[in-house]
Amino acid sequence: MRAAARPDLAALRRRVEELSERHGQDPAPLLAIPRLSHLSGVEPGRIPAVIAGRVAELPLEQRVHLRFLRLRATRRDKHGREWPLAAIADDFDAPGASLGPLNAGTGLPRLGHAAGVQRFFGVYAGFLLADCKSAVERALALTPEGRDDLAHLSHLTGITPQVIRLTLDGRPPGLPLKEQVRERFEHLRRTRVREDGQPHSLSAIARSFDASGQSLTRLVQGEGLPNLAAAAGIQRFFGVEGGFLLSDDTEALGTALTDIVRELECVERQQENPMLAVLRAHDVRSIVTRAGRLSPRGWKSLADHLDDLLAREGQLGRPAGGGTGEDPAAGDPTTEGPTTDGPAAAGGAR
């Protein structure tokens, strides 16, 4: 992310404190270090120094490794155990051994594996890797009230208005990751142009992360995916969200604090019945209609799977609307924010 677009973490923290006190709330639970670490993936010991701007960013390989360990430690299964590498990898049709280097900190995963890991744990995957449903939900959550036209959502997501409409209707199309990343990269070049109105050259983009323009040629031609470092560099160059694994610590904490601010601001605007808000935010009727065709055995399987998803997102056993949002590893579940990107998300699109 360009320096001018870097989040002011101290200002965001003060804004959370101001809004909390206005609501008569204690801001301490919202800003607790375990909670910020859970939401951002930043190691708890680094958070005060990152907010104060006194710490250098970690190399990408180390950061992705630590974030993956945080996911495994804080998004456990319904029995409170860490998810095995084989179970995570099986969700995106890969062998468990393929995540061995990531788990050990000896290498970066492939781009498709990074997308799969984030989807498995229900965290936002970033501009290039998020599926249609989570990308549109994220854009809606970040959009000021009353500004939800398709052109605006398309700009924020890199998804065409037609696909956004299908997604909002509960029919998000499945696009191969290679084609998705290519289309969103081209969207960034068309919509985030130079001061003279011309697209940024491939060489200028690649130089920002110490690579050559030729390294992006195959992506533009639809012949392959960039590596993880290139994906992180592209997103940082254009100032869009890198996702849980790829954002640097400042960006990750900025996203977490911004989400908290928006949730507090939403409380001020929310005048309707909370249950109606839930019904509007998720296609509950569609889910219930389809679930009504299940056998008793199917209902049991669905309930078990929901327990797995809730455990993965740190919300198993949490009453609706309750909780303080602490780190599950410390015995207190948290919410992940306004968007999810879980493996069963396709059934509940807006």
Side-chain angles (χ1 to χ4, degrees):
M1 186 177 291
R2 298 181 179 88
R6 302 290 290 178
D8 185 339
L9 300 182
L12 284 169
R13 182 187 177 94
R14 289 193 298 272
R15 179 63 174 157
V16 171
E17 293 172 339
E18 172 192 329
L19 287 168
S20 298
E21 290 166 359
R22 187 187 301 172
H23 298 159
Q25 295 179 247
D26 179 4
L30 291 176
L31 294 169
I33 285 179
R35 182 173 195 259
L36 293 180
S37 177
H38 181 88
L39 293 173
S40 66
V42 179
E43 290 294 297
R46 289 176 55 84
I47 287 177
V50 172
I51 290 178
R54 298 194 309 264
V55 65
E57 291 293 348
L58 296 173
L60 179 67
E61 183 172 314
Q62 184 180 358
R63 189 167 71 239
V64 173
H65 164 61
L66 292 175
R67 299 267 175 91
F68 179 65
L69 296 185
R70 294 294 300 166
L71 285 173
R72 294 190 71 203
T74 61
R75 278 83 167 172
R76 297 173 179 251
D77 67 18
K78 62 185 177 183
H79 303 294
R81 296 190 291 260
E82 285 192 356
W83 288 93
L85 297 183
I88 300 168
D90 182 66
D91 194 64
F92 48 91
D93 299 322
S98 64
L99 296 180
L102 170 61
N103 192 61
T106 57
L108 287 169
R110 295 167 56 187
L111 197 65
H113 289 187
V117 166
Q118 293 174 127
R119 188 158 46 249
F120 180 87
F121 285 107
V123 294
Y124 187 63
F127 188 92
L128 292 177
L129 300 185
D131 62 25
C132 288
K133 178 180 181 293
S134 62
V136 171
E137 287 180 341
R138 184 70 178 165
L140 287 169
L142 298 177
T143 297
E145 194 167 347
R147 177 75 193 278
D148 59 355
D149 56 279
L150 295 183
H152 174 68
L153 295 177
S154 178
H155 178 82
L156 292 180
T157 61
I159 303 171
T160 66
Q162 294 82 358
V163 172
I164 290 175
R165 172 52 59 197
L166 288 172
T167 302
L168 291 173
D169 289 342
R171 295 178 288 129
L175 195 65
L177 184 64
K178 181 171 68 174
E179 185 63 17
Q180 171 185 304
V181 173
R182 185 192 69 80
E183 287 188 2
R184 294 193 189 171
F185 177 59
E186 292 291 7
H187 174 86
L188 287 173
R189 294 187 69 207
R190 285 195 309 272
T191 59
R192 278 78 165 174
V193 296
R194 302 183 319 202
E195 291 183 0
D196 62 3
Q198 296 300 309
H200 291 280
S201 67
L202 297 182
S203 59
I205 299 168
R207 277 199 307 271
S208 71
F209 50 90
D210 300 321
S212 69
Q214 293 176 336
S215 64
L216 298 180
T217 301
R218 294 184 68 240
L219 169 60
V220 171
Q221 294 175 343
E223 297 175 354
L225 285 167
N227 60 34
L228 209 62
I234 289 167
Q235 292 173 133
R236 186 165 298 112
F237 180 87
F238 286 105
V240 294
E241 284 189 85
F244 190 93
L245 290 177
L246 300 187
S247 295
D248 66 33
D249 287 351
T250 301
E251 294 164 354
L253 278 171
T255 298
L257 288 168
T258 298
D259 287 347
I260 294 171
V261 167
R262 291 183 184 278
E263 288 169 6
L264 290 170
E265 290 174 339
C266 183
V267 170
E268 291 188 328
R269 296 192 303 266
Q270 189 67 43
Q271 300 297 324
E272 62 185 351
N273 184 314
M275 184 56 68
L276 290 178
V278 172
L279 291 172
R280 291 175 182 172
H282 306 282
D283 189 5
V284 175
R285 287 174 299 179
S286 174
I287 296 172
V288 172
T289 298
R290 282 176 286 167
R293 299 197 296 266
L294 291 172
S295 65
R297 183 176 179 181
W299 272 103
K300 176 65 168 58
S301 177
L302 176 61
D304 289 343
H305 189 52
L306 284 173
D307 281 346
D308 284 341
L309 289 174
L310 288 168
R312 204 178 292 173
E313 297 181 13
Q315 299 189 67
L316 187 64
R318 173 182 176 176
T324 62
E326 297 296 330
D327 191 332
D332 196 359
T334 186
T335 60
E336 184 55 35
T339 63
T340 58
D341 195 9
R350 276 176 72 109

